[in-house]
């Protein structure tokens, strides 16, 4: 066993010396592998970062959370023209489901409405997203308050003129959360009393963030827009109790809403019951496809790098034919010659891969500086993948030149190399 380790060590040293003595050739060989590994790991890191950002933007919602609306999260068998005619869910249906469906931990009715300006004395913040929700939205989204409180059930049902501001909105209008509580701001040309300010969250993937949002009791907004306004997009969000079988719970919800809408047994449901788990699975499918496409494209760069290493190794074998003959005539085994060239190819590829990883790391730091709160992720797993792929490319690219070198006849090798 000891002799094998000695052979490996000597082969490794021969490979390092060969790389040091041919610096230009080594550099040119490294370029191809470096570009290939950089491309592959950059794609993996970008997709991982995108996935993390998307999941982070919905992290307040549990995977068991259910969203009922007239659109579906993913593909559906129902024709587009048909589901586009589905009616929106209503506040009355929300109340019906909340009263008649067991095992509900929390439920909220939300309206997505056009952005609005918020004004306080001479200060104004334009184009603010408005979250029109019921009080239980606070529990479903697991919001965190910096100051004050969220509106309660009584304020939500009566449509009280109160508002909860995002962190950035409060700072732009008042200079901070403590100064915001109790102040009156103007929204829709009406006065609203500020009762709470959320903690700072940071920017989301598409610029959306709770920091730049304001929340109003949904019944205030319903009074302004009405229940049949096409500018609003209503949703019923339901969080089931822990331990409840989600499939049974969804079936129960579907049946309750069908009864409420008076649908006949042979009629399809004119609404969609979406689960957050389905959304995350949909995101996984998208990012998985992006990974595959990116890897295929990047693989061509790595293939070029692999051919480059193989070509350089064949040239190296040709140049060192005389040395190989001398080594063999002095008793060097075929394994020693094989390992010598194999190690040279693997070391070359791994060095190129490490350089590629380092470049991805530098680019991720620079990119994170220019994209604000969006964080590029270079995970240890991706680094391991990069190193493993580099070693594999070196092994594959160097195996044929190494075998050809190990099989040279010592006499012919010395004669050819003279």
């Amino acid at each position: 066993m000891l002799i094998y380790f000695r052979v490996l060590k000597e082969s490794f040293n021969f490979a390092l010396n060969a790389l040091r003595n041919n610096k230009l050739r080594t550099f040119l060989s490294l370029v191809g592998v470096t570009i290939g590994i950089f491309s592959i790991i950059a794609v993996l890191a970008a997709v991982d970062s995108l996935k993390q950002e998307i999941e982070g933007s919905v992290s307040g919602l549990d995977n068991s959370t259910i969203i009922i609306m007239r659109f579906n999260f993913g593909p559906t068998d129902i024709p587009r023209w048909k589901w586009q005619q589905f009616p929106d869910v209503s506040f009355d249906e929300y109340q019906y489901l909340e009263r008649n469906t067991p095992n509900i931990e929390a439920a909220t009715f939300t309206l997505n409405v056009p952005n609005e300006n918020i004004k306080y004395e001479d200060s104004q913040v334009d184009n603010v997203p408005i979250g029109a929700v019921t009080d239980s939205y606070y529990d479903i989204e697991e919001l965190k308050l910096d100051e004050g409180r969220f509106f309660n059930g009584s304020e939500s049902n009566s449509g009280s003129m109160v508002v909860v501001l995002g962190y950035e909105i409060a700072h732009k209008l008042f200079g901070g959360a403590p100064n915001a509580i109790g102040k009156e701001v103007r929204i829709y040309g009406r006065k609203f009393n500020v009762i709470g300010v959320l903690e700072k969250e940071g920017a989301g993937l598409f610029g959306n963030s709770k920091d730049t949002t304001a929340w109003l009791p949904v019944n205030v907004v319903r009074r302004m827009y009405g229940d049949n306004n096409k500018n609003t997009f209503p949703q019923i969000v339901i969080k089931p109790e822990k331990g409840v079988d989600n499939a049974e719970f969804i079936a129960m919800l579907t049946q309750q809403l069908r009864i409420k809408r008076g649908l006949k047994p042979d009629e399809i449901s004119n609404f969609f019951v979406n689960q957050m788990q389905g959304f995350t699975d949909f995101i996984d499918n998208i990012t998985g496809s992006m990974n595959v496409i990116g890897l295929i494209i990047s693989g061509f760069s790595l293939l070029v790098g692999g051919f480059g290493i193989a070509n350089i190794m064949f040239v190296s074998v040709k140049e060192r034919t005389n040395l190989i003959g001398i080594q063999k005539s002095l008793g060097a085994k075929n394994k020693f010659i094989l390992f010598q060239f194999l190690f040279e190819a693997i070391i070359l590829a791994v060095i190129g891969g490490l350089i590629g990883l380092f470049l991805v790391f530098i680019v991720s730091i620079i990119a994170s500086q220019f994209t604000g709160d969006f964080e590029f992720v270079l995970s240890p797993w991706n680094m391991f993948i990069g190193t493993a792929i580099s070693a594999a490319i070196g092994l594959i690219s160097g195996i044929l030149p190494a075998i050809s070198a190990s099989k040279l006849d010592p006499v012919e090798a010395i004669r050819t190399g003279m």
Side-chain angles (χ1 to χ4, degrees):
M1 181 63 71
L2 185 61
I3 193 169
Y4 283 106
F5 281 112
R6 185 175 296 173
V7 168
L8 289 173
K9 182 181 177 182
E10 290 181 3
S11 300
F12 186 80
N13 290 332
F14 264 101
L16 285 179
N17 288 330
L19 293 176
R20 288 195 200 101
N21 295 332
N22 297 279
K23 293 182 177 61
L24 180 60
R25 179 193 298 168
T26 300
F27 171 75
L28 294 175
S29 302
L30 287 177
V31 170
V33 179
T34 298
I35 293 174
I37 293 298
F38 174 83
S39 302
I40 287 179
I41 303 307
V43 168
L44 292 177
V47 172
D48 284 351
S49 303
L50 180 64
K51 183 178 179 181
Q52 176 178 285
E53 188 69 19
I54 293 174
E55 291 176 346
S57 65
V58 295
S59 60
L61 295 177
D62 189 89
N63 274 351
S64 63
T65 302
I66 294 164
I67 301 176
I68 305 174
M69 54 185 176
R70 65 186 180 94
F71 296 112
N72 196 38
F73 278 168
T76 175
D77 295 331
I78 301 174
R80 181 185 179 90
W81 66 266
K82 198 163 191 174
W83 59 255
Q84 283 184 330
Q85 297 176 359
F86 286 177
D88 281 318
V89 293
S90 66
F91 188 76
D92 184 47
E93 289 171 340
Y94 152 71
Q95 290 181 312
Y96 176 84
L97 291 176
E98 192 176 34
R99 286 194 308 266
N100 295 282
T101 308
N103 302 321
I104 290 181
E105 181 178 322
T108 184
F109 182 78
T110 71
L111 284 177
N112 290 339
V113 295
N115 294 355
E116 188 60 40
N117 300 334
I118 300 181
K119 187 174 183 179
Y120 174 73
E121 295 179 349
D122 295 330
S123 300
Q124 179 171 309
V125 181
D126 298 325
N127 205 33
V128 176
I130 302 296
V133 298
T134 58
D135 60 294
S136 48
Y137 177 84
Y138 177 81
D139 299 314
I140 291 179
E141 270 280 359
E142 299 179 356
L143 301 177
K144 296 179 180 179
L145 288 164
D146 191 22
E147 290 286 339
R149 62 180 179 84
F150 206 73
F151 42 82
N152 55 39
S154 175
E155 292 166 329
S156 175
N157 293 330
S158 64
S160 298
M161 308 295 282
V162 293
V163 61
V164 176
L165 301 177
Y167 182 89
E168 191 174 323
I169 302 296
H171 275 255
K172 285 183 178 180
L173 290 175
F174 314 106
N179 299 327
I181 306 303
K183 298 289 177 62
E184 286 189 337
V185 297
R186 282 192 172 273
I187 312 173
Y188 301 110
R190 306 182 186 187
K191 290 183 178 180
F192 285 82
N193 183 41
V194 179
I195 61 172
V197 176
L198 295 186
E199 287 185 1
K200 184 176 177 60
E201 177 191 62
L205 177 62
F206 304 107
N208 57 315
S209 169
K210 294 183 179 69
D211 295 343
T212 58
T213 305
W215 284 268
L216 305 176
V218 71
N219 284 340
V220 173
V221 181
R222 286 180 63 222
R223 285 200 301 264
M224 298 176 186
Y225 281 90
D227 287 329
N228 296 308
N229 195 312
K230 295 303 180 182
N231 290 323
T232 64
F233 176 47
Q235 303 171 65
I236 299 173
V237 184
I238 297 175
K239 185 177 182 180
E241 293 177 347
K242 299 291 184 183
V244 173
D245 185 281
N246 269 35
E248 292 182 7
F249 186 76
I250 290 173
M252 188 186 307
L253 274 176
T254 303
Q255 185 61 29
Q256 290 288 359
L257 192 50
R258 285 180 61 86
I259 292 172
K260 175 64 176 172
R261 292 193 170 185
L263 296 174
K264 297 177 182 178
D266 60 338
E267 293 179 313
I268 65 168
S269 298
N270 57 356
F271 56 88
F272 289 105
V273 181
N274 299 290
Q275 190 177 355
M276 285 304 299
Q277 181 62 53
F279 178 72
T280 55
D281 291 342
F282 181 62
I283 294 300
D284 287 342
N285 290 334
I286 292 176
T287 53
S289 300
M290 291 172 63
N291 264 334
V292 171
I293 295 171
L295 288 175
I296 291 174
I297 296 172
S298 303
F300 286 109
S301 299
L302 200 58
L303 189 63
V304 172
F307 279 127
I309 290 179
N311 185 51
I312 291 297
M313 293 309 301
F314 275 118
V315 172
S316 182
V317 171
K318 186 70 175 176
E319 288 181 347
R320 286 149 58 188
T321 300
N322 185 48
L323 178 61
I324 294 170
I326 294 173
Q327 288 175 333
K328 281 200 163 190
S329 65
L330 294 176
K333 302 292 185 183
N334 287 350
K335 287 182 180 179
F336 177 79
I337 305 299
L338 177 72
F339 285 138
Q340 178 181 325
F341 286 92
L342 205 54
F343 277 139
E344 185 174 334
I346 292 174
I347 292 169
L348 195 61
V350 169
I351 292 174
L354 292 176
I355 295 173
L357 287 173
F358 178 73
L359 291 177
V360 174
F361 176 72
I362 296 299
V363 169
S364 67
I365 292 176
I366 296 173
S368 296
Q369 297 297 320
F370 284 98
T371 53
D373 293 306
F374 185 85
E375 181 183 358
F376 283 86
V377 179
L378 180 58
S379 66
W381 174 246
N382 284 342
M383 295 175 70
F384 171 77
I385 290 176
T387 306
I389 291 176
S390 303
I393 289 298
L395 179 65
I396 295 171
S397 302
I399 190 69
L400 289 179
I403 290 175
S404 66
S406 66
K407 289 184 176 180
L408 287 174
D409 179 82
V411 176
E412 289 296 323
I414 293 174
R415 181 186 301 146
T416 304
M418 292 179 63

